[in-house]
C-alpha cells in the first residue's frame, strides 16, 4: 500500500490523518508486522491491520487522536485472545501516529523517497511522535528502535491485448501489487480511464516486449492469433520470462506447441508456455470471471508457486 504520498495528500486536503502500524507480532495474528492503515478525520480509512475487534478499536483510538489533538503518538499492546476475544490468540503491538500540517515538510520528504522505490527508516516511538530517520541504502540494520520498510519493488506484468478480457484484467489487477505494462497497437484500443499502476504502449509489439524487465509475467490475448503466436515465440525465445501465458484452450495450446516446434524452439522452452491461463476449476467464460482466474494465477506465480495448467483446460480460444 502506498503510504507517505497518501499521507501527504490527506494532510494537504483534510488537515490531518493517523497512521496505524503493526509494529510487532507474536504467535497467530491476522496481519504481519509492517501492515498499515491510514485513518482520515471523517472516519474513512485506507489499508487494513487485519479487521475484527483489533482494527475496530484501533480506528476508535485514531478518531480520538484526531478529535483531541492532544498527543502525536501512542502504542497499544494487545493479547488478541484475552483482551479482544479474537480466536487467533496471538499478540500484536500497534503504533498510532498523528500527522498534521505541522508535519508537512517531513511527510513530503518521506513521500518523495517512497516515489523513488523501496527505502528503510529507523523509527523511535516517543511521546512527541515517532522520530523517523531514512537509512542509507545498504546500511547495516542498526540496533535499537524499529526498522521499517516503505515502498515496493513491484513485479511486472506485460499484458498484450486491450479487448474485453484485457480490459477486465487491468481492472482486476489495479488494486494488487503489480506494475502492468499494457500494449495494443490498434488506434483507440485503450479505454479513456486507465488505473494508475498501468502504463499503456501502442508501438510495435516486439518493442513493447523488449522493454519489459527480466522476470516479468507475460499475458498474451491480442485480437490476432498470428500476433499471439509471434509474441509467445519471441518471449519464449528470449529466455527472460519464466511465465509466458496465452489465452485459449487445450486445442490452441496443441496448435501453438506444434507451430513453436516448427519455428525451432526447444522442447524445454515450449514446455514453459501456459495455455490456457488461469487457475483450474472455473468454467465461466465471462471476461470478469476469466480475469479473476488469471489474476489468482498471477498472484500464485508471483509467490514462487506453480499451477497445474493442464487441469485448467476449460477456456475457449480468445
Amino acid at each position: 500500500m502506498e503510504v507517505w504520498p497518501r499521507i501527504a495528500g490527506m494532510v494537504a486536503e483534510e488537515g490531518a490523518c493517523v497512521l496505524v502500524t503493526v509494529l510487532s507480532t507474536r504467535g497467530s495474528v491476522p496481519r504481519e508486522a509492517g501492515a498499515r492503515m491510514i485513518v482520515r478525520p471523517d472516519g474513512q480509512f485506507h489499508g487494513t491491520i487485519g479487521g475484527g475487534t483489533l482494527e475496530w478499536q484501533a480506528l476508535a483510538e485514531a478518531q480520538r487522536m484526531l478529535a483531541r489533538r492532544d498527543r502525536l503518538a501512542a502504542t497499544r499492546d494487545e493479547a488478541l485472545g484475552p483482551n479482544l476475544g479474537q480466536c487467533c490468540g496471538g499478540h500484536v503491538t500497534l503504533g498510532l501516529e498523528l500527522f498534521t500540517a505541522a508535519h508537512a515538510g517531513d511527510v513530503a520528504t518521506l513521500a518523495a523517497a517512497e516515489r523513488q522505490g523501496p527505502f528503510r527508516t529507523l523509527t523511535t516511538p516517543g511521546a512527541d511522535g515517532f522520530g523517523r530517520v531514512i537509512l542509507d541504502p545498504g546500511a547495516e540494520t542498526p540496533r535499537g528502535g524499529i526498522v521499517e520498510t516503505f515502498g515496493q519493488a513491484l513485479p511486472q506484468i506485460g499484458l498484450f491485448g486491450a479487448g474485453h478480457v484485457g480490459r477486465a484484467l487491468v481492472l482486476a489487477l489495479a488494486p494488487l501489487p503489480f506494475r502492468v505494462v499494457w500494449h495494443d497497437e490498434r488506434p483507440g484500443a485503450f479505454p479513456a480511464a486507465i488505473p494508475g499502476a498501468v502504463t499503456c504502449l501502442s508501438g510495435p509489439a516486439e518493442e513493447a516486449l523488449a522493454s519489459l524487465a527480466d522476470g516479468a509475467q507475460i499475458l498474451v490475448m491480442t485480437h490476432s492469433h498470428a500476433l499471439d503466436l509471434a509474441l509467445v515465440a519471441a518471449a519464449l525465445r528470449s529466455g527472460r520470462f519464466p511465465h509466458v501465458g496465452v489465452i485459449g484452450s487445450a486445442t490452441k495450446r496443441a496448435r501453438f506447441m506444434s507451430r513453436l516446434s516448427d519455428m525451432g524452439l526447444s522442447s524445454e522452452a515450449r514446455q514453459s508456455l501456459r495455455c490456457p491461463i488461469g487457475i483450474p476449476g472455473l468454467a465461466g467464460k465471462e471476461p470478469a470471471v476469466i480475469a479473476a482466474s488469471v489474476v489468482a494465477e498471477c498472484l500464485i506465480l508471483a509467490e514462487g508457486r506453480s499451477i497445474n495448467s493442464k487441469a485448467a483446460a476449460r477456456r475457449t480460444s480468445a
Side-chain angles (χ1 to χ4, degrees), residues 1 19-22 30-39 45-52 54-56 58-59 94:
M1 180 184 76
L19 172 63
V20 183
T21 304
V22 178
R31 287 298 305 274
E32 71 286 352
R36 300 179 179 97
M37 175 174 66
I38 307 171
V39 186
F45 60 96
H46 300 270
T48 177
I49 57 170
L54 175 70
E55 184 165 294
W56 179 76
L59 286 168
L94 298 180

Side-chain angles (χ1 to χ4, degrees), residues 159-162 181-185 190 199-205 208 227:
L159 173 60
F160 292 85
V181 175
W182 194 13
H183 174 271
D184 199 305
E185 58 192 19
F190 297 114
T199 300
C200 293
L201 300 177
S202 57
L227 180 56

Side-chain angles (χ1 to χ4, degrees), residues 128-258:
D128 295 330
F130 283 26
R132 190 174 273 107
V133 177
I134 297 177
L135 295 173
D136 291 333
E140 293 186 4
T141 301
R143 295 182 178 180
I146 300 168
V147 175
E148 296 183 275
T149 300
F150 297 93
Q152 293 178 287
L154 298 178
Q156 191 178 60
I157 290 179
L159 173 60
F160 292 85
H164 294 303
V165 176
R167 292 186 178 211
L169 188 53
V170 160
L171 293 177
L173 287 167
L176 299 175
F178 293 105
R179 291 183 297 119
V180 180
V181 175
W182 194 13
H183 174 271
D184 199 305
E185 58 192 19
R186 297 173 295 172
F190 297 114
I194 305 294
V198 177
T199 300
C200 293
L201 300 177
S202 57
E206 294 80 4
E207 292 182 6
L209 184 68
S211 73
L212 297 174
D214 290 356
Q217 293 189 41
I218 307 300
L219 297 172
V220 179
M221 50 190 70
T222 77
H223 62 287
S224 163
H225 282 201
L227 180 56
D228 285 356
L229 179 63
L231 282 166
V232 166
L236 293 175
R237 187 177 285 115
S238 74
R240 299 196 299 120
F241 309 113
H243 304 298
V244 178
V246 60
I247 195 169
S249 60
T251 300
K252 185 174 181 178
R253 175 183 174 83
R255 290 176 178 172
F256 269 42
M257 293 292 280
S258 176

Side-chain angles (χ1 to χ4, degrees):
M1 180 184 76
E2 183 183 68
V3 178
W4 296 108
R6 189 178 292 274
I7 289 175
M10 286 190 190
V11 168
E13 297 168 10
E14 308 285 341
C17 66
V18 168
L19 172 63
V20 183
T21 304
V22 178
L23 296 177
S24 63
T25 67
R26 294 198 308 272
S28 177
V29 295
R31 287 298 305 274
E32 71 286 352
R36 300 179 179 97
M37 175 174 66
I38 307 171
V39 186
R40 294 167 36 177
D42 63 4
Q44 299 297 310
F45 60 96
H46 300 270
T48 177
I49 57 170
T53 303
L54 175 70
E55 184 165 294
W56 179 76
Q57 291 195 359
L59 286 168
E61 180 70 15
Q63 288 295 290
R64 284 192 289 270
M65 292 175 68
L66 285 162
R68 297 173 182 173
R69 308 286 177 98
D70 58 351
R71 55 179 175 164
L72 296 176
T75 58
R76 294 177 64 101
D77 291 303
E78 300 287 1
L80 301 183
N83 292 0
L84 304 179
Q86 293 192 206
C87 296
C88 41
H91 185 279
V92 174
T93 299
L94 298 180
L96 296 92
E97 303 171 76
L98 173 66
F99 295 97
T100 67
H103 306 99
D106 291 338
V107 168
T109 298
L110 292 163
E114 185 170 350
R115 292 188 184 101
Q116 295 300 311
F119 72 100
R120 298 184 302 157
T121 64
L122 179 63
T123 302
T124 308
D128 295 330
F130 283 26
R132 190 174 273 107
V133 177
I134 297 177
L135 295 173
D136 291 333
E140 293 186 4
T141 301
R143 295 182 178 180
I146 300 168
V147 175
E148 296 183 275
T149 300
F150 297 93
Q152 293 178 287
L154 298 178
Q156 191 178 60
I157 290 179
L159 173 60
F160 292 85
H164 294 303
V165 176
R167 292 186 178 211
L169 188 53
V170 160
L171 293 177
L173 287 167
L176 299 175
F178 293 105
R179 291 183 297 119
V180 180
V181 175
W182 194 13
H183 174 271
D184 199 305
E185 58 192 19
R186 297 173 295 172
F190 297 114
I194 305 294
V198 177
T199 300
C200 293
L201 300 177
S202 57
E206 294 80 4
E207 292 182 6
L209 184 68
S211 73
L212 297 174
D214 290 356
Q217 293 189 41
I218 307 300
L219 297 172
V220 179
M221 50 190 70
T222 77
H223 62 287
S224 163
H225 282 201
L227 180 56
D228 285 356
L229 179 63
L231 282 166
V232 166
L236 293 175
R237 187 177 285 115
S238 74
R240 299 196 299 120
F241 309 113
H243 304 298
V244 178
V246 60
I247 195 169
S249 60
T251 300
K252 185 174 181 178
R253 175 183 174 83
R255 290 176 178 172
F256 269 42
M257 293 292 280
S258 176
R259 293 291 304 278
L260 291 169
S261 178
D262 293 342
M263 296 166 71
L265 272 81
S266 69
S267 175
E268 181 180 4
R270 286 183 281 123
Q271 289 304 320
S272 64
L273 173 65
R274 296 183 359 254
C275 180
I277 49 176
I279 60 173
L282 293 178
K285 298 177 182 177
E286 299 87 350
V289 174
I290 298 174
S293 176
V294 173
V295 165
E297 183 182 44
C298 290
L299 289 167
I300 291 170
L301 293 174
E303 292 179 0
R305 294 185 285 152
S306 62
I307 290 287
N308 181 1
S309 61
K310 292 182 180 179
R314 77 278 188 233
R315 300 282 182 228
T316 58
S317 179

